[in-house]
Amino acid sequence: MNSSPGRAYLIPLDIVAAPALTLLIAYATLDPPVRVFTGPLWVAWALAVVTALPVAVRRRRPLPVLAVTGVGAVVATLLGTVGAGAIWVAYVPAALALYLVALTARPRRSVTALVACLLASGAAVAYLYSTMRPVPRPGAVPGEMLPAWPVEAGVIWAIMCGAWAAGVALHRRRATAVRLSRQALADERLHIARELHDIVGHSMSLIAVKATVANHIAATNPQEALSALAVIEHTSRAALTDIRRLLGVLRSDDGSPADLAPPPGPAQLHLLAEHTRAAGVPVDLEIRGTGELPEAVGLSVYRIVQEALTNVVKHAAPARCEVRVETGGGTVRIEVVDDGRGRRPAEPRGAGAHGLVGMRERVTMYGGTFSAGPRPEGGFRVSAHLPYESSGRTP
């Protein structure tokens, strides 16, 4: 990747850390616990610079920086410009770069980088100890024991694995956050689509029915035509109000509710039944004990009944319809029954009409049960049970 997801203010920290690591590596080389390097000082300083200074740009080029710092540390180990007991210091820059590789690269690439670092560092340390001739330093204790090479390699591997594991953990956490964000966005889109379907589908169905009636009887029965136009006007205004409410919520920048009318609920079912009667479908409505429903559940109840009545108007009219909504035992039960033709024609593909699917999704969202189908005696039946937690209001 060309840039690290790290924040910009962390880049100056890397710029400061790079020369500090250079000095630390040079010090560990020139004044180690056990000195093995007797060559020119500039070689030690050059390798320290090559190994540590690339850390300053590790957030912009993590993989190339890992390659440079890792190769520098391995070369320093092979040439002996490191001190026994402090070899791990030369691998700190590579560990910092490996952390960003694990954070930004694909899992396969980051695992490959980790394995390469472990194998190269382990082989270099083993080679150094096989050829090492310790140089006594002032103040050294006679018979001082050298650290075993597996111990040195184990310390380096622990640093490498720890840096890699930290990068992978943060990578997974960020990936999870992105996935949850995308899921939340998809759920919100589905919610908006469902709301628009219910609002527009119901309103347009009633408008289409009444417009057809008005068109056929305008010349012979002007009064009835005027009544149909009044229903069209009222229905279209109600639909516009619902759409403005939905758009107002979407345009709210801070996520706070817009200053709009509350969403519809069971209290508006009587008005919904009146609209359906005006469309030519007699409705017998019975509502019991819905005052304790939470607002979100009340909206789902309203939308389910609205969609069921819309289907009756579209597919079963002329027919009679019975609507029952009652609560009890933490469950709201909805039943919409008509005595029409019973079968519903297939909905046109691509038209966005997914009424039964939308009702089922609303019920499933609350862990309820839903069923819909023709009745043996004729007609169609929609039944839904939605569990809920009481809001504490008095019915």
Side-chain angles (χ1 to χ4, degrees):
M1 297 182 68
N2 293 333
S3 62
S4 168
R7 299 186 183 277
Y9 69 82
L10 294 177
I11 295 178
L13 296 180
D14 290 339
I15 296 176
V16 173
L21 286 172
T22 301
L23 294 175
L24 180 63
I25 293 172
Y27 176 79
T29 300
L30 302 176
D31 190 19
V34 178
R35 186 173 180 180
V36 295
F37 179 65
T38 58
L41 293 182
W42 68 266
V43 175
W45 278 102
L47 285 174
V49 168
V50 171
T51 303
L53 279 188
V55 169
V57 294
R58 69 185 180 112
R59 296 184 184 276
R60 297 189 178 276
R61 297 289 190 275
L63 197 56
V65 169
L66 174 62
V68 174
T69 56
V71 170
V74 169
V75 171
T77 306
L78 294 176
L79 294 181
T81 61
V82 290
I87 302 177
W88 61 270
V89 175
Y91 291 86
V92 170
L96 294 176
L98 181 60
Y99 162 79
L100 283 177
V101 171
L103 176 60
T104 60
R106 295 179 179 178
R108 180 178 297 179
R109 179 171 294 183
S110 71
V111 170
T112 301
L114 173 64
V115 172
C117 289
L118 297 181
L119 293 178
S121 60
V125 172
Y127 173 81
L128 174 64
Y129 269 81
S130 67
T131 60
M132 189 167 55
R133 295 293 184 270
V135 179
R137 63 187 179 95
V141 178
E144 184 175 36
M145 296 293 294
L146 294 176
W149 77 264
V151 176
E152 292 262 41
V155 172
I156 297 172
W157 289 354
I159 295 173
M160 290 290 184
C161 291
W164 180 83
V168 169
L170 185 55
H171 175 85
R172 290 179 177 176
R173 190 174 70 178
R174 290 181 176 179
T176 300
V178 170
R179 185 171 62 254
L180 292 177
S181 177
R182 290 177 178 173
Q183 182 61 45
L185 180 60
D187 292 342
E188 185 62 21
R189 287 176 176 174
L190 179 61
H191 171 72
I192 294 171
R194 189 186 296 124
E195 286 292 302
L196 286 176
H197 170 271
D198 292 341
I199 294 170
V200 177
H202 172 74
S203 302
M204 294 304 296
S205 295
L206 292 182
I207 290 173
V209 170
K210 300 309 289 186
T212 302
V213 172
N215 183 54
H216 281 80
I217 66 175
T220 60
N221 194 342
Q223 189 62 36
E224 187 67 23
L226 289 175
S227 178
L229 291 175
V231 172
I232 292 175
E233 179 187 8
H234 188 279
T235 302
S236 60
R237 289 183 182 276
L240 285 174
T241 299
D242 285 343
I243 291 176
R244 288 193 187 102
R245 176 182 59 81
L246 185 60
L247 293 178
V249 173
L250 293 177
R251 290 171 180 168
S252 181
D253 294 334
D254 58 359
S256 58
D259 186 16
L260 297 167
Q268 285 73 42
L269 288 179
H270 291 284
L271 185 59
L272 182 62
E274 288 295 331
H275 291 170
T276 307
R277 294 186 188 105
V281 176
V283 177
D284 180 13
L285 177 64
E286 182 178 344
I287 304 175
R288 297 180 180 176
T290 57
E292 64 177 11
L293 291 180
E295 187 177 89
V297 178
L299 175 61
S300 294
V301 170
Y302 179 89
R303 294 302 186 203
I304 290 171
V305 174
Q306 182 186 51
E307 181 59 36
L309 291 178
T310 300
N311 287 340
V312 174
V313 172
K314 290 167 59 178
H315 306 305
R320 295 191 62 85
C321 183
E322 296 181 359
V323 179
R324 301 286 182 269
V325 179
E326 60 179 357
T327 61
T331 302
V332 56
R333 290 172 287 277
I334 307 168
E335 186 174 74
V336 181
V337 179
D338 67 75
D339 58 3
R341 291 174 295 176
R343 292 190 176 275
R344 302 291 188 255
E347 295 174 336
R349 179 173 296 181
H354 301 284
L356 294 179
V357 174
M359 287 189 281
R360 187 181 302 277
E361 287 175 348
R362 287 186 181 275
V363 174
T364 303
M365 182 171 59
Y366 291 96
T369 59
F370 176 83
S371 63
R375 300 189 302 162
E377 63 271 26
F380 201 84
R381 176 176 178 270
V382 172
S383 176
H385 290 188
L386 282 75
Y388 68 94
E389 294 183 2
S390 175
S391 61
R393 293 181 299 175
T394 302

